[in-house]
Amino acid sequence: MLKILKLITFTLLSMSVLAESIESINKDKHIEISGFDCADKSTHMIEWLGLGTDYRSFVVKDVETELYNQQPGSQLLKLECTGEPELLTGALPQDGVEAKAILTRFSVTFPLKATVNLSGTIWVLSIDQNYYAENLNLLTDRKLTKKFTVKGSSKQ
């Protein structure tokens, strides 16, 4: 019996260590997040967006903001990054030499699965959260565009 109790305790502690959560923009709420570690190796590039290094926080906040604008009263419960983000760059040759280039554009798309409570009904949404930064080679006139695309949904 003691072995079973130890096993249950160990399992619960392991699960709590693996689970991450972020504070919701809705007061006194938290969002469970998972799968974002697959983008950790690209943090140095994601910084080009100008939103900082904590991409987990800004992605969650941006998804929440868009969801709540579209469905007031809803609550994001869980956000899972389902795969590595898609990274795209654009550059201009420097001094007419293609081997030397200046970064001008950067895009990152996070494939996400969101679990949302909407008036007591749970929905799971497949989302692409895209960030597109342009004019990165200029000190002024930089532009960041965010695009929230729901690719599918299912009622739980």
Side-chain angles (χ1 to χ4, degrees), residues 34-42 55-56 81-85 110-111:
S34 63
F36 283 89
D37 56 335
C38 68
D40 285 349
K41 66 183 176 189
S42 304
Y55 65 89
R56 288 167 172 84
C81 189
T82 59
E84 290 191 20
F110 292 91

Side-chain angles (χ1 to χ4, degrees), residues 79-92:
L79 191 63
E80 177 185 357
C81 189
T82 59
E84 290 191 20
E86 179 183 7
L87 307 168
L88 299 171
T89 59
L92 291 174

Side-chain angles (χ1 to χ4, degrees), residues 22-31 75:
I22 288 184
E23 251 183 76
S24 172
I25 58 177
N26 287 338
K27 188 176 166 104
D28 298 327
K29 303 285 183 180
H30 286 83
I31 299 158
Q75 176 61 50

Side-chain angles (χ1 to χ4, degrees), residues 10-156:
F10 175 76
T11 303
L12 290 174
L13 288 173
S14 298
M15 288 172 51
S16 67
V17 169
L18 295 175
E20 271 187 274
S21 73
I22 288 184
E23 251 183 76
S24 172
I25 58 177
N26 287 338
K27 188 176 166 104
D28 298 327
K29 303 285 183 180
H30 286 83
I31 299 158
E32 181 183 334
I33 64 168
S34 63
F36 283 89
D37 56 335
C38 68
D40 285 349
K41 66 183 176 189
S42 304
T43 302
H44 66 287
M45 294 173 71
I46 295 169
E47 287 182 49
W48 296 337
L49 298 172
L51 298 173
T53 58
D54 188 4
Y55 65 89
R56 288 167 172 84
S57 290
F58 71 72
V59 169
V60 172
K61 180 181 177 248
D62 291 339
V63 168
E64 271 195 289
T65 300
E66 191 61 39
L67 282 171
Y68 302 160
N69 284 339
Q70 292 183 22
Q71 294 293 328
S74 62
Q75 176 61 50
L76 180 61
L77 303 173
K78 181 179 179 181
L79 191 63
E80 177 185 357
C81 189
T82 59
E84 290 191 20
E86 179 183 7
L87 307 168
L88 299 171
T89 59
L92 291 174
Q94 186 177 19
D95 302 326
V97 180
E98 286 189 30
K100 290 183 175 181
I102 298 172
L103 182 70
T104 59
R105 298 177 310 278
F106 174 65
S107 173
V108 58
T109 303
F110 292 91
L112 305 169
K113 183 171 89 172
T115 304
V116 181
N117 182 342
L118 178 59
S119 302
T121 302
I122 305 299
W123 288 86
V124 177
L125 309 175
S126 296
I127 297 169
D128 277 349
Q129 179 66 33
N130 173 262
Y131 299 87
Y132 177 67
E134 54 190 320
N135 299 329
L136 295 176
N137 55 319
L138 304 175
L139 294 176
T140 60
D141 298 325
R142 288 185 175 202
K143 182 178 176 186
L144 177 65
T145 305
K146 301 173 187 179
K147 186 175 180 186
F148 173 88
T149 305
V150 176
K151 297 173 20 175
S153 64
S154 64
K155 193 172 167 180
Q156 295 297 300

